[in-house]
């Protein structure tokens, strides 16, 4: 027993010594970083709050994504994009949301049918286009942190799946407009797709960047397909950036 007690004592002393050495080493690193005019304070890496008038996330079209949640103190909300996509998809025939259905058509009659069946999306797409004319899109910022340093994280479980459906519909609607020789509404549709693909890129969380990478790939794939259409005007293509 004496040997066990001695062993435990030595381990405890060694543990405390290593903790002390670790704290001293960390303090040394902090001093070195600060001496070079840098900082390890995580809050300094979070972008400042963007004024609402410059922030697409504060456009009225996105009011539905801020879900009331009194338990989320002190902000009382969380962010869920599902209601936005529900508004976009609510009147779409189920078969048009089926990934196995090819929505791309080359004739004017079929194009008009696609636009007719998705007509309720037109004013919503216009609102989204207006929102994404704002230069920034910030869902959370340095002020929107909890006391433990966490954020009111956007609920993104179904975001990429819903964005995939929206991408298919926008691609089909854009192609339909182009088949009718209307490049202006097609440009508006594509600009919304680009905006949705980029709207998480300014987020402070690493998951935001993973989502941005995935959606960027999807958007580029659609753009590569659409820009080949002969109905585009040169001035339209210069705006797709």
């Amino acid at each position: 027993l004496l040997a066990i007690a001695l062993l435990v004592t030595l381990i405890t002393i060694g543990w405390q010594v290593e903790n002390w050495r670790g704290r001293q080493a960390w303090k040394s690193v902090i001093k070195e970083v600060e001496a070079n005019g840098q900082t390890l304070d995580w809050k300094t890496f979070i972008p400042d709050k963007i004024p609402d008038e410059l922030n697409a996330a504060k456009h009225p079209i996105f009011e539905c994504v801020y879900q009331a949640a009194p338990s989320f103190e002190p902000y009382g909300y969380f962010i869920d994009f599902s209601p936005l996509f529900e508004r976009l998809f609510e009147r779409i025939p189920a078969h048009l949301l089926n990934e196995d259905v090819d929505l791309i058509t080359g004739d004017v009659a079929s194009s008009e049918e696609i636009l007719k069946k998705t007509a309720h999306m037109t004013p919503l797409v216009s609102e989204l286009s207006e929102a994404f004319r704002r230069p920034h899109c910030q869902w959370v910022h340095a002020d929107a942190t909890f006391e433990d340093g966490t954020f009111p994280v956007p609920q993104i479980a179904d975001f990429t799946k819903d964005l995939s459906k929206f991408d298919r519909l926008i691609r089909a609607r854009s192609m339909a407009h182009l088949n009718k020789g209307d490049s202006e509404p097609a440009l508006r549709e594509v600009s919304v797709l680009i905006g949705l693909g980029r709207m998480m890129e300014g987020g402070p969380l690493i998951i935001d960047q993973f989502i941005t990478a995935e959606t960027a790939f999807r958007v580029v794939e659609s753009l590569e397909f659409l820009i080949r259409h002969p109905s585009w005007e040169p001035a339209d293509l210069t705006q797709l950036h």
Side-chain angles (χ1 to χ4, degrees):
L1 293 177
L2 181 61
I4 294 176
L6 180 60
L7 179 61
V8 170
T9 300
L10 290 174
I11 291 175
T12 302
I13 293 173
W15 193 295
Q16 294 300 322
V17 169
E18 288 304 312
N19 281 343
W20 179 84
R21 290 180 61 193
R23 285 193 295 270
Q24 295 305 115
W26 180 240
K27 289 178 181 178
S28 177
V29 169
I30 292 176
K31 287 182 179 179
E32 182 179 347
V33 169
E34 291 178 344
N36 292 327
Q38 300 174 320
T39 179
L40 294 177
D41 183 358
W42 65 271
K43 292 182 180 179
T44 63
F45 296 94
I46 302 173
D48 293 333
K49 182 178 180 181
I50 295 171
D52 288 356
E53 64 272 13
L54 301 178
N55 188 3
K58 292 300 182 180
H59 188 277
I61 187 67
F62 291 119
E63 287 180 356
C64 62
V65 310
Y66 294 94
Q67 301 296 304
S71 61
F72 275 47
E73 297 290 351
Y75 303 100
Y77 73 91
F78 68 95
I79 301 167
D80 183 2
F81 295 105
S82 299
L84 173 64
F85 286 111
E86 287 173 4
R87 288 183 64 192
L88 289 164
F89 299 154
E90 63 181 350
R91 300 179 191 174
I92 303 297
H95 73 280
L96 294 185
L97 297 175
N98 188 338
E99 293 188 1
D100 295 329
V101 175
D102 186 5
L103 301 181
I104 302 302
T105 178
D107 63 274
V108 174
S110 298
S111 296
E112 290 179 343
E113 186 67 16
I114 287 289
L115 293 175
K116 180 180 179 181
K117 290 181 177 179
T118 61
H120 85 283
M121 289 179 61
T122 301
L124 297 175
V125 167
S126 295
E127 286 188 69
L128 286 169
S129 177
E130 180 182 278
F132 288 125
R133 290 194 194 102
R134 300 181 181 183
H136 305 283
C137 190
Q138 184 184 67
W139 301 99
V140 295
H141 51 80
D143 292 339
T145 56
F146 300 119
E147 291 183 0
D148 62 356
T150 59
F151 292 88
V153 181
Q155 304 299 297
I156 52 179
D158 295 322
F159 177 75
T160 54
K161 181 175 68 176
D162 288 334
L163 185 64
S164 176
K165 295 177 183 178
F166 185 73
D167 171 71
R168 293 179 67 252
L169 291 172
I170 287 292
R171 185 191 295 203
R173 282 171 55 88
S174 299
M175 182 61 71
H177 286 304
L178 292 171
N179 287 340
K180 295 176 61 180
D182 298 332
S183 62
E184 184 176 342
L187 177 63
R188 182 168 57 250
E189 306 264 344
V190 173
S191 68
V192 167
L193 185 61
I194 294 173
L196 285 173
R198 296 178 57 186
M199 71 181 188
M200 304 294 287
E201 68 179 2
L205 306 174
I206 192 167
I207 189 65
D208 298 328
Q209 307 313 313
F210 283 130
I211 291 176
T212 297
E214 180 180 345
T215 54
F217 174 79
R218 197 186 310 278
V219 169
V220 168
E221 188 176 44
S222 291
L223 285 177
E224 184 181 16
F225 174 81
L226 290 169
I227 61 176
R228 298 173 182 172
H229 200 284
S231 293
W232 287 111
E233 296 291 338
D236 295 329
L237 294 177
T238 60
Q239 297 183 53
L240 293 177
H241 59 80

